[in-house]
């Protein structure tokens, strides 16, 4: 079927390509003319403006997938596109928007008859070949209409072993996409997915840190091991309880650079990890691990913070303790 | 080759079977005569005492794999076996012993010429068919001698994609076993493996809890979703960043019982999670996630604790706040 | 000077009384006629409506202190009062409002010329006699105008030892009140105060729990102590590093009920603890302790949560582990 | 009464002085001759060896207070002294020893008839004037015999308000010392005291960090405050819920150096914080706050750790994310 894609970065560009591979008719727009041209060379129909993109879609209802950074750019682009579309048309936000923004936008667009679908999209740079895991929110008719798009983007059953006892459950989940609920539900599920991702990553990170710290040259001979963390990551990929794709990626990184010298230790975070903690607070449920994972990223980006200096100031105050510089 | 197995519980029994499937000659002992007999029916040579087990091993050096709960039982059995063995023989502790106990035992046995090998064994109830991930500590000659045993127990390369760039690294890791270092190193690596396991499990647990709490009937209509957690677990198995074996198992459990009504919520913990935190403290490295995962298990087994009552007592003291019963 | 007080609960009623003790002319309103009458008996001038309250204030600019639960009631009352007031008049929110609500309200009211002052008020049920610690946000002229009110409510210097080196710093801080900054700054500082309060309370709670758990009858004789937690709280009040008012209150509670049997263990939380964590997330700074303190309160109000059941489901899945009921 | 003091550092020296002020006869020893001489000038009787110290005590049973860093030095000194003492004599470890070491030592010394008393001593550099809070473990007769010593070191009732309802409780607690239980109980209580201290300090540190971060120049004008943290610390000393001695010390430090520029941010930790977490793990009770407080100190002393680099390696692996340097 026909679809427009707005935003041809790492994610949007690959989504366009994967849809074309599946035989879909893809019109594309990006603010960067080079990005448009590149996709044009790959077989997409580039448009020079959002208006031109909309005009280039002949099938009705029209469907446009917006794949931009969450926040103002997505907000403005959706508003702009909405002004060009007609009742029945479908706007898809495939980025990492906050689910409360989806709920608000869907309600606003509903007044104009335009339908809004939010898609949490996981898969990163591997999605082009591996397929994208899609978590979809929106009204049923719109989601059903877009099914060929979702089916083409999703990984499909592949060689992954079947989960027993799924009889009456949604068969789309086994293809790698679900209709999670109304507007916002897609990004809510994706948000929690990323929250879990942070927690899992931190679990591995702490574990490998404990292993690597056992190699420290300061340790006395009897207490020091010489553990090969690259081999440990590799062996855990087979038959252990902690096998995962993140472990596969860790094994690749450690095989290449066992001391991880290429990395500074500064770790970024994006909105989803924060929103997951806020969702937990709003629900009044504990989320210690997901929160700790977020906070260690904050700390990784700081030099010594005021909190640490406060501790030293108190220690000097009551005990006369001078800290090492 | 020939090997004796002591302890025929869920783990030891399956290890014996997997070794027999690979053509090894397995003598077995368990305190429970029925367990011995059952393995006998499967082709093992049962012995009625530890002495008889040792006597039944004709190949030298003899190798005996002890697969018992960590602590006094393992300690006593190893001491008993050591008194029956000769210099050059090998005692293997395949259970979940504390790595400092390994270091101590290895040093003690060295005086008698008996060699001690510690093996961290992961794989649970699936190991018989899937193979066991083995993390091995001990002297090189003993570990090399036992190689046919380890190779038979390990999962092998299987269909798991190869990690690029492993060129000069230990090829055994790709078969699912490693020689991690001297005595204690095997259980140290296994300990950290379990620490990571706790952290990953808690990451999933918190995430699914946030999802399920969004279904709460107390929420007002606009804020409530009706998320199908079984479908969410399934969809994440394909193309998402959080795919893992633990997720596969979660998907199986949720497909069968989406509200998990079969579970009380009491969660046990074993030594490794605790020792991992203690290792972090000894190394003076932070391990917030692994620790939080441990503490939530402690809390899950308590009714309201004294700490919570203290909070209420203070709140009553300064604010006159009365808590809900 | 003259002031109106709206909301005569535990906090508002005592604030009115403390102001009258200092000779101020206090008009009061509460939705509950009995509460109004009670304050009337104490010397205040009760009004039957908000309009009547405003009308009863003859001094200009008029000042009205709203002391209601944060949220809709405060929001509506302030809007109602604003419709009765004139440019130059001052509305004070002394409750526990969210500081972002203050910023919004102050900007809205500014259009009408009404001035908005937010006051974070600490002191609980002891404030009537001990005085209230006041953290004030708003424009300088309004805060200065209200100085006699703040001075009367604050504890004053008392017998508390002087902090050396405060020379050029704000002398009001030593009297127990500060002008923290523009609208919102008062409640922001109060919010963080409560966040710290949660963290301190949890520190004591965990510590006393570790002490009390050392008394557990399940412990073997050599490992068990019979610690008297009431005496421990008392002794720490003198010369230790952890002396504090919260410890004083703990000592009182434990002297009366050393097992704290009067408390269920359910612990409520109010907005400030949550907002403090959200502020930390917004600033991207770690706040592990304040967050953990919040989460333990959430958990204290739950029966076993879905997260814990997920852990058990996974443990059954990989290890065949059955949990104790 | 007569007492020997071994170890004349910051703590031991002041303890000797405070005892002399109360009229006790104090013999002293330190490995540093200057330290001995200095105390001699203050009125103590210096001894040049441990043997000479023992010989200089004429009253029986003799009592010697060892005030040295926990670990090997204390261990060796106690063993040395034990070899010079006679049955009935009393050895006091007033340092920060691990309570399990006390239990072991007391049992060993009991065989020789020497009595062992462990004293957790809080008060820091302020103890000389303010008095020391003492938490005492050991057999009743020995603790009673030493009562004049403890009474002299403790702060006494002072001007601290009495806790109501203590009627039948131990009156010594109100003087600032308690007999907590058998050997080890004193240091156990002191250990938990320090654990709480870490948690409280971290609560303040995080809160002040959130305040100070609200002053960050990177914030847009509407979101930034200019909070004076020195005034905030001061105002909280009066009538707030978070008043404490640690807050008093914070107010002093912030008045002098509001940006705390004198501090590097490296924060040391000593054994007690670690042992408190280990005690919680041994008791299987959660201690999130005390643990988080410990871990932030660990992190404060590291440059970027391996854990953080692991996170970046995974992020690069799945998303192509490059971190900022």
């Amino acid at each position: 079927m026909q679809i427009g894609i707005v935003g041809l970065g790492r994610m949007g560009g690959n989504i366009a390509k994967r849809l074309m591979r599946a035989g879909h008719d893809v019109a594309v727009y990006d603010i960067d003319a080079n990005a448009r041209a590149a996709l044009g060379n790959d077989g997409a129909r580039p448009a020079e403006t959002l208006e031109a993109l909309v005009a280039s879609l002949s099938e009705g209802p029209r469907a446009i997938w917006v794949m931009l950074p969450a926040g103002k750019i997505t907000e403005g682009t959706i508003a702009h596109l909405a002004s060009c579309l007609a009742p029945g048309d479908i706007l898809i936000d495939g980025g990492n928007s906050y689910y409360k923004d989806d709920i608000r936008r869907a309600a606003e667009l509903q007044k104009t008859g335009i339908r809004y679908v939010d898609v949490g999209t996981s898969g990163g740079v591997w999605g082009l070949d591996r397929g994208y895991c899609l978590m979809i929110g929106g009204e049923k008719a719109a989601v059903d209409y877009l099914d060929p798009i979702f089916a083409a983007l999703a990984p499909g059953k592949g060689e992954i072993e079947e989960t027993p006892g799924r009889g009456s459950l949604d068969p789309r989940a086994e293809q790698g996409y679900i209709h999670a609920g109304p507007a916002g539900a897609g990004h809510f599920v994706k948000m929690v997915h990323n929250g879990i991702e942070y927690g899992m990553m931190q679990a591995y990170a702490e574990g490998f840190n404990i292993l690597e710290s056992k190699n420290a040259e300061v340790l006395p001979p009897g207490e020091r091991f010489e553990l090969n963390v690259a081999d440990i990551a590799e062996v855990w990929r087979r038959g252990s309880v902690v096998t995962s794709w993140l472990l596969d990626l860790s094994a690749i990184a450690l095989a290449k650079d066992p001391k991880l010298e290429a990395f500074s230790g500064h770790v970024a975070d994006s909105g989803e990890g924060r929103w997951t903690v806020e969702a937990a607070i709003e629900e009044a449920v504990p989320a210690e691990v997901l929160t700790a994972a977020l906070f260690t990223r904050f700390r990784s980006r700081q030099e010594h913070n005021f909190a640490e200096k406060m501790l030293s100031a108190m220690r000097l105050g009551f005990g006369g303790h001078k800290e090492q510089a």
Side-chain angles (χ1 to χ4, degrees), chain A:
Chain A
M1 64 184 278
Q2 218 177 40
I3 191 163
I5 311 268
V6 174
L8 303 174
R10 206 154 39 197
M11 291 291 286
N14 283 345
I15 282 173
K17 286 181 199 162
R18 189 165 168 97
L19 287 173
M20 290 188 287
R21 286 188 191 172
H24 293 293
D25 171 16
V26 179
V28 296
Y29 172 78
D30 191 281
I31 199 171
D32 174 5
N34 292 331
R36 297 196 297 260
L39 261 291
N41 291 338
D42 286 324
R45 293 185 289 117
E48 297 199 358
T49 62
L50 289 174
E51 285 77 3
L53 181 81
V54 170
S56 76
L57 296 172
S58 53
E59 276 179 18
R62 288 170 289 197
I64 299 183
W65 182 296
V66 179
M67 202 68 195
L68 293 168
K72 282 187 190 167
I73 299 175
T74 292
E75 193 74 27
T77 304
I78 284 174
H80 190 156
L81 284 167
S83 72
C84 313
L85 292 171
D89 288 345
I90 304 172
L91 271 171
I92 305 151
D93 180 0
N96 276 326
S97 290
Y98 187 36
Y99 76 96
K100 293 189 178 181
D101 288 332
D102 296 315
I103 295 173
R104 175 181 46 75
R105 276 183 212 144
E108 284 167 7
L109 289 172
Q110 200 176 22
K111 296 173 199 159
T112 68
I114 294 169
R115 295 178 291 175
Y116 180 85
V117 170
D118 56 291
V119 181
T121 311
S122 183
V125 290
W126 301 64
L128 174 57
D129 294 318
R130 219 173 71 127
Y132 296 93
C133 177
L134 304 175
M135 297 145 260
I136 307 160
E139 64 170 63
K140 185 174 183 308
V143 174
D144 287 349
Y145 174 75
L146 296 168
D147 193 75
I149 297 298
F150 298 138
L153 288 175
K157 278 193 118 166
E159 294 176 7
I160 292 167
E161 213 167 330
E162 224 168 80
T163 298
R166 284 194 47 82
S168 61
L169 288 163
D170 188 341
R172 290 175 293 186
E174 293 180 308
Q175 301 295 331
Y177 65 108
I178 53 165
H179 181 200
H187 279 142
F188 186 85
V189 173
K190 174 59 163 45
M191 173 192 83
V192 174
H193 165 278
N194 284 34
I196 293 173
E197 174 192 308
Y198 279 39
M200 289 174 68
M201 288 172 71
Q202 183 65 20
Y204 285 119
E206 292 180 4
F208 278 98
N209 192 36
I210 292 170
L211 293 173
E212 182 65 20
S213 300
K214 195 69 182 170
N215 294 342
E217 289 178 19
V218 295
L219 289 174
E223 294 184 19
R224 186 185 169 199
F225 291 139
E226 296 192 27
L227 303 170
N228 184 318
V229 289
D231 281 343
I232 292 170
E234 184 64 30
V235 79
W236 285 348
R237 296 180 67 219
R238 287 176 172 81
S240 93
V241 175
V242 302
T243 53
S244 74
W245 189 49
L246 285 165
L247 181 65
D248 295 345
L249 298 171
S250 300
I252 294 172
L254 291 168
K256 193 176 159 197
D257 178 6
K259 296 289 174 195
L260 299 179
E261 286 168 353
F263 300 95
S264 66
H266 286 252
V267 190
D269 77 287
S270 58
E272 288 99 340
R274 301 179 182 203
W275 300 329
T276 302
V277 176
E278 288 173 358
I281 292 174
E282 207 170 284
E283 294 174 357
V285 298
E288 288 91 352
V289 157
L290 306 192
T291 308
L294 180 66
F295 285 162
T296 60
R297 294 195 180 191
F298 290 167
R299 178 61 185 81
S300 81
R301 303 198 302 262
Q302 303 176 333
E303 292 311 306
H304 293 291
N305 57 32
F306 197 72
E308 292 162 0
K309 296 181 179 186
M310 279 291 296
L311 296 176
S312 296
M314 285 186 257
R315 295 185 78 239
L316 180 66
F318 66 73
H321 303 292
K322 305 240 158 132
E323 308 285 0
Q324 270 194 299

